[in-house]
Amino acid sequence: MSTSTSDRVRLLTAGLEAFHREDAETFMAMYREDAVHEFPFAPEGMPTRVEGREAIEAWMRTVPDLLTLDGGIHDLRIHEGGDTLTAEWSSTGHFADGTPAAISYVAVVTFDGDLVAHYRDYINPLDLRPAFPARR
């Protein structure tokens, strides 16, 4: 069965919304077992590449300890491109120390059939400074 682009957009949108609600189970349902999630601009202390759904889930379950995204998703735009979708959005919340958070994202998400095979998360590392302070 071929998965349509609109099905992929719905799956990605539902996954992002679930992540922002700290619903890891629903977020992880969009990944293949052998998926790769990359953070090319990750600050020191954050992984740059996580391989396999189990490892991705383990990392994602640490995020609420660093950051709570209680302000929801803002200005979500998903650009369609066959098996690859590019999503842009921002979110708000607060870091573990109470500092307000305003985060900008761009994600390039490649599907294999109806599941995510590769997710490149171009989160703005400057937005994450309170969670990952520079080491001196």
Side-chain angles (χ1 to χ4, degrees):
M1 179 176 95
S2 176
T3 303
S4 72
T5 299
S6 61
D7 291 338
R8 291 176 177 143
V9 168
R10 280 192 293 279
L11 181 66
L12 180 58
T13 300
L16 294 174
E17 289 170 348
F19 180 76
H20 284 73
R21 290 190 315 271
E22 297 181 8
D23 176 358
E25 185 176 325
T26 301
F27 177 71
M28 293 309 303
M30 70 181 184
Y31 284 92
R32 287 174 42 108
E33 285 292 328
D34 62 348
V36 173
H37 193 120
E38 293 182 301
F39 302 92
F41 301 133
E44 185 177 338
M46 185 175 161
T48 57
R49 182 179 175 95
V50 184
E51 296 185 35
R53 187 166 60 197
E54 187 175 307
I56 296 166
E57 182 173 2
W59 166 251
M60 293 302 175
R61 287 190 182 277
T62 69
V63 172
D65 294 336
L66 304 169
L67 172 68
T68 300
L69 298 171
D70 50 12
I73 295 174
H74 307 282
D75 303 317
L76 176 62
R77 292 180 301 282
I78 297 179
H79 310 280
E80 301 172 8
D83 290 341
T84 300
L85 302 177
T86 302
E88 303 174 79
W89 74 98
S90 62
S91 60
T92 56
H94 60 277
F95 292 98
D97 68 358
T99 303
I103 314 262
S104 301
Y105 308 84
V106 172
V108 179
V109 183
T110 303
F111 285 79
D112 180 5
D114 60 350
L115 295 173
V116 172
H118 195 182
Y119 190 119
R120 285 185 314 278
D121 194 336
Y122 294 96
I123 191 169
N124 183 345
L126 298 176
D127 293 346
L128 297 176
R129 284 184 287 194
F132 298 96
R135 297 196 189 350
R136 296 182 200 267

